[in-house]
Amino acid sequence: MILTGLLLGAVLGYVLQRSRFCVTGAFRDLYMTRSARYFTPFLLAIAIQAVGVAALTGAGVIAPEPASFAPLAVIGGGLLFGVGIIMAGGCATGTYYRAGEGLIGSWVALIFYMLFAAVMKFGPLGGFTEAARARTTADATLQETLGVSVWVPTIAFSALVAVLVVRQVRRSAARNAGKKSVRLPARRSGLGHYLADIPWNPWVGGALLGVIAIAAWVLSTAAGRNGGLGITTPSAKIITFLTTGDVTLVDWSVMLVLGILVGSFIAAKLAGEFRWRVPDARTMLNSAGGGVAMGVGAALAGGCTIGNSLVETSLFSYQGWVSFAAIMLGTWAAAWFFLVRPQKAAAKNRPAPVLSPAA
């Protein structure tokens, strides 16, 4: 049954690559360009998963266990993770699918992310992580605090997302009215054209991500693992397996993350977008540093932009939503420091144009 993880991971990698769906870009663009092009579709993915998980839980198919809320670890880890994903040029899943496209910088970030996640979870700093995450609050979820059914926050959030989706679609339609799109000649016909020739709309990526997240709960439960999509722990398990040979670590979740590499590679090859790309030394160092921050931050926060910002949020756990906010703030701070600040400094130091005297 763990091979279903490999299959679902491949589907996830394919969807991410074709839609260019990365939470780093969603958070960064919301701050830098005030664009919700990817942010609102990400909220849509959360809403779709929330409805599916609530329905499956009510039917007794799955039994989610929301994470306990350790405020200091979640906030600190989330902020650090947000900084890391800007340095690395992508979140955990974004780094996986870009590595499948042949980006060497993403491979560097991925290796350091996996390594330090293993150090923090199963290695010499495991005790520190455990102690930091032991300081928890009494309630784990919003519905637990309010004393209501999970359907109450699910319906309220889904209604809010529906309003945001309609508003963004209308604005996009008004903005594009009268514009003519230029399309290159199709290399394929029929289904192949849509699968590999054209980039997918963010709405397609967000909707499919939500459906894949629901399927992950069902398939993972069937394989004996009570959980949905997850990236950090299986990444740490891969490193630990490679250093210890403990085959019990190779479970459904490990197959899932390996499948992301496979799926994104297939998508990139079919679209003619795969090629090995080596960045400059500075980018490599930033990627390595970003990978370290991602691994440490995700371990402390109890998850990354998938485990927390997508999965735990759909359970309306405090860990999920507080981490979501912390990662976003960390992303914005890093975007200002690494992207906005250098641009402003360069513009300030640029010499003024010399005007020729009037004749």
Side-chain angles (χ1 to χ4, degrees), residues 33-38 40-41 164-181 201-203:
T33 64
R34 303 297 187 268
S35 171
R37 174 176 168 81
Y38 283 96
T40 306
L164 294 175
V165 169
V166 171
R167 180 179 299 177
Q168 186 163 321
V169 169
R170 287 178 176 174
R171 286 180 177 176
S172 179
R175 188 167 51 248
N176 296 327
K179 292 183 179 180
K180 294 183 178 180
S181 59
N201 189 285
W203 295 115

Side-chain angles (χ1 to χ4, degrees), residues 92 96 110 113-115 117-118 121-122 230-241 253-254 257:
Y96 266 99
L110 183 60
Y113 162 62
M114 297 168 71
L115 175 62
K121 281 182 166 289
F122 307 121
I231 307 296
T232 301
T233 298
S235 297
K237 286 181 176 180
I238 291 174
I239 293 295
T240 308
F241 164 72
S253 65
V254 168
V257 296

Side-chain angles (χ1 to χ4, degrees), residues 306-318:
I306 293 297
N308 273 343
S309 300
L310 177 66
V311 176
E312 283 292 331
T313 51
S314 72
L315 303 178
F316 298 95
S317 75
Y318 291 120

Side-chain angles (χ1 to χ4, degrees), residues 74-80 82-83 321-331:
V74 170
I75 294 172
L79 289 170
L80 184 59
V83 172
W321 284 104
V322 172
S323 176
F324 183 104
I327 292 173
M328 184 181 294
L329 290 175
T331 301

Side-chain angles (χ1 to χ4, degrees), residues 132-263:
R133 291 195 51 78
R135 300 174 179 272
T136 60
T137 60
D139 293 344
T141 66
L142 177 62
Q143 59 269 23
E144 188 178 354
T145 300
L146 297 177
V148 297
S149 165
V150 70
W151 280 108
V152 173
T154 297
I155 293 173
F157 177 71
S158 298
L160 173 62
V161 171
V163 171
L164 294 175
V165 169
V166 171
R167 180 179 299 177
Q168 186 163 321
V169 169
R170 287 178 176 174
R171 286 180 177 176
S172 179
R175 188 167 51 248
N176 296 327
K179 292 183 179 180
K180 294 183 178 180
S181 59
V182 178
R183 295 186 179 182
L184 298 175
R187 296 188 301 160
R188 301 175 180 85
S189 61
L191 184 60
H193 173 65
Y194 294 99
L195 287 177
D197 282 354
I198 59 175
W200 294 359
N201 189 285
W203 295 115
V204 175
L208 289 178
L209 180 58
V211 173
I212 290 170
I214 295 171
W217 280 101
V218 177
L219 295 176
S220 179
T221 299
R225 170 183 172 269
N226 186 21
L229 292 176
I231 307 296
T232 301
T233 298
S235 297
K237 286 181 176 180
I238 291 174
I239 293 295
T240 308
F241 164 72
L242 292 175
T243 54
T244 65
D246 185 359
V247 295
T248 61
L249 294 169
V250 182
D251 60 5
W252 188 92
S253 65
V254 168
M255 291 291 104
L256 175 81
V257 296
L258 294 177
I260 296 174
L261 288 172
V262 174

